[in-house]
Amino acid sequence: MKNYLNFETDIKNLEAEIEKLKDPYNQEGLSEVDTKKISESQEKIDKKLQEIYSNLDPWQTTLVARHEDRPKAKFFIENLFEDFIALSGDRFYGEDKSVLAGFAKFNEKSVLVIGQEKGDSLETRIERNFGMMRPEGYRKTIRLMKLANKFNIPIISFIDTPGAYPGVGAEERGQAEAIAKSIECCMSLSVPTIAIIIGEGGSGGAIALASSNKVIMLENAIYSVISPEGCATILWRDPKRTLDAAKAMKLCSKDLLELEVIDEVILEPVGGAHRDRDLILNNVKKSIEKNLNQFFKMSRDEVLSHRKNKFLTIGRSKGFVSELGDLSTLNMKKNTINTFIKNFFRSKINLGITFTAITLVGYLIFFL
């Protein structure tokens, strides 16, 4: 059974009409299949999809990113990679099923694959904790990323989470520390890392694995520091103002590409990635191939520098960096007064004058 969003009512009605036309044994009795009318209805659907999805607002994009039928990390792992071997456990506490991680082959080359998995049914969603990772999940990925770094194996991550799990148990086991350590580990790796946001890229739960050389988003994915509902509740104390929050947060792929927070947008089929899984699979594969080939020509030090420079340039103005392409010129503007005081006291003559002046002022105060 297909799932439809609240702005897809017209499409739902048209597709229901097509299903009736395809069934000769419908309520009206035995009849012939009207192929001409089916073709006309399909053209209407395609036109309506194009009309709706070319004018999505940020909140509608958020709903598409959360769509129940949207391809999940497990789908990409099973169809893009060969010989995937899942590895479990953080060697401290236990296993976190909200993240799939293991080594695999991509175009005959070894890679480490990490995927935040939401699940595709009620049972699997509960088992996967709706894609919200716990501390043991981040510690598992840290363990495997360090192993991949040791053997010079590239890392590919599929990001899809509303955020890290905020439960009491997770906080007691060091959720914030685990996220911070994961970010630190990602930034220190000397192997190529590619993060692909396939659905929701929520808060620290996403950035913990998306601190990569290349951050790529599917066209209708979102990437933000907080959910639109959470933002609206904090700013306006009204969770219904999700559209205002989503617009202000610039969480869509086109906005983030313009701000240079991400590096690439992978186009989706009209109507979302769930409407043509083969096409989105092919688009993602091409993107991974292209980006991996770029890094295979670099040394390990160059890969590390590439990632460092990428994050240092985000949000910087030319007042701090004289040439954005060369971060060796990175320097903060010094306060003029502080610079004068520092240079003044470097001189022995100036130091002597200052000491004499202080002595003279003291003499005048106490003896006159």
Side-chain angles (χ1 to χ4, degrees):
M1 181 179 175
K2 287 185 179 180
N3 296 293
Y4 296 90
L5 300 172
N6 55 13
F7 53 86
E8 295 180 322
T9 306
D10 292 341
I11 297 166
K12 180 180 179 180
N13 294 335
L14 287 168
E15 290 191 342
E17 184 181 330
I18 285 182
E19 289 301 318
K20 286 182 181 180
L21 291 170
K22 287 181 178 179
D23 180 13
Y25 302 98
N26 53 39
Q27 293 179 354
E28 298 176 2
L30 185 63
S31 62
E32 294 182 357
V33 175
D34 191 341
T35 55
K36 183 179 179 181
K37 196 168 183 181
I38 289 174
S39 300
E40 288 175 355
S41 297
Q42 187 60 54
E43 287 177 6
K44 288 180 183 178
I45 290 173
D46 295 339
K47 186 177 179 180
K48 197 68 180 176
L49 280 171
Q50 184 66 45
E51 180 185 329
I52 292 172
Y53 277 81
S54 61
N55 295 289
L56 290 179
D57 62 43
W59 175 241
Q60 289 173 331
T61 302
T62 303
L63 295 177
V64 177
R66 296 172 176 174
H67 199 288
E68 291 182 37
D69 299 332
R70 195 171 178 83
K72 306 295 191 297
K74 187 179 179 183
F75 168 78
F76 288 105
I77 292 172
E78 289 177 345
N79 291 280
L80 287 176
F81 304 94
E82 297 177 352
D83 303 328
F84 176 72
I85 301 173
L87 299 175
S88 305
D90 65 343
R91 304 297 186 265
F92 288 98
Y93 180 82
E95 165 65 352
D96 186 355
K97 293 186 178 180
S98 62
V99 59
L100 296 170
F103 292 94
K105 292 281 189 180
F106 181 78
N107 289 348
E108 303 301 321
K109 294 178 181 177
S110 296
V111 292
L112 171 64
V113 186
I114 299 171
Q116 293 173 320
E117 174 62 29
K118 285 183 174 181
D120 52 13
S121 65
L122 180 59
E123 293 76 17
T124 56
R125 287 189 183 103
I126 293 171
E127 182 185 20
R128 303 287 184 185
N129 200 34
F130 299 89
M132 295 184 289
M133 289 172 63
R134 299 179 174 90
E136 47 271 24
Y138 293 109
R139 290 176 181 136
K140 174 174 76 172
T141 57
I142 290 169
R143 176 174 72 86
L144 296 180
M145 286 190 290
K146 288 181 177 179
L147 191 61
N149 193 59
K150 181 177 181 180
F151 293 101
N152 197 27
I153 296 174
I155 301 170
I156 300 169
S157 303
F158 293 94
I159 310 299
D160 189 14
T161 179
Y165 183 59
V168 174
E171 297 295 343
E172 289 175 343
R173 296 194 299 277
Q175 183 72 290
E177 184 263 357
I179 292 172
K181 288 287 186 182
S182 182
I183 295 172
E184 180 185 32
C185 178
C186 288
M187 295 302 296
S188 65
L189 297 170
S190 57
V191 295
T193 56
I194 298 171
I196 305 170
I197 302 167
I198 58 176
E200 285 187 276
S203 190
I207 194 65
L209 296 178
S211 301
S212 305
N213 289 97
K214 292 286 185 177
V215 180
I216 302 166
M217 286 179 71
L218 297 193
E219 184 180 5
N220 293 315
I222 59 170
Y223 190 28
S224 64
V225 71
I226 191 173
S227 69
E229 298 95 325
C231 178
T233 302
I234 292 170
L235 292 184
W236 297 290
R237 302 195 180 281
D238 183 2
K240 294 181 180 179
R241 294 186 63 175
T242 50
L243 176 57
D244 294 330
K247 284 180 178 178
M249 291 162 65
K250 304 289 185 184
L251 45 67
C252 299
S253 58
K254 60 181 180 181
D255 294 323
L256 294 169
L257 184 65
E258 186 178 341
L259 292 169
E260 298 182 352
V261 172
I262 64 170
D263 303 285
E264 183 183 336
V265 174
I266 298 175
L267 296 179
E268 296 186 22
V270 177
H274 56 284
R275 287 193 168 268
D276 192 339
R277 292 184 170 226
D278 291 334
L279 178 59
I280 195 63
L281 201 65
N282 187 51
N283 290 349
V284 170
K285 183 177 182 180
K286 287 180 179 178
S287 178
I288 295 174
E289 287 175 344
K290 178 184 68 177
N291 286 289
L292 280 181
N293 289 337
Q294 176 185 342
F295 290 110
F296 283 143
K297 301 173 184 177
M298 295 185 181
S299 67
R300 294 184 65 133
D301 288 339
E302 287 173 335
V303 169
L304 181 60
S305 296
H306 176 278
R307 189 184 309 114
K308 178 189 72 174
N309 292 346
K310 167 188 165 56
F311 283 93
L312 283 174
T313 54
I314 292 176
R316 295 225 178 246
S317 66
K318 292 184 179 180
F320 293 98
V321 185
S322 59
E323 294 180 21
L324 288 175
D326 179 14
L327 289 184
S328 61
T329 63
L330 185 65
N331 60 82
M332 296 295 292
K333 288 185 176 179
K334 296 180 180 178
N335 185 288
T336 306
I337 296 174
N338 290 339
T339 303
F340 172 78
I341 293 172
K342 187 176 180 181
N343 292 335
F344 182 84
F345 284 106
R346 275 181 180 175
S347 169
K348 291 183 180 179
I349 296 174
N350 289 337
L351 194 61
I353 293 172
T354 304
F355 179 76
T356 304
I358 293 172
T359 304
L360 182 60
V361 170
Y363 175 80
L364 292 174
I365 291 173
F366 289 104
F367 295 100
L368 295 180

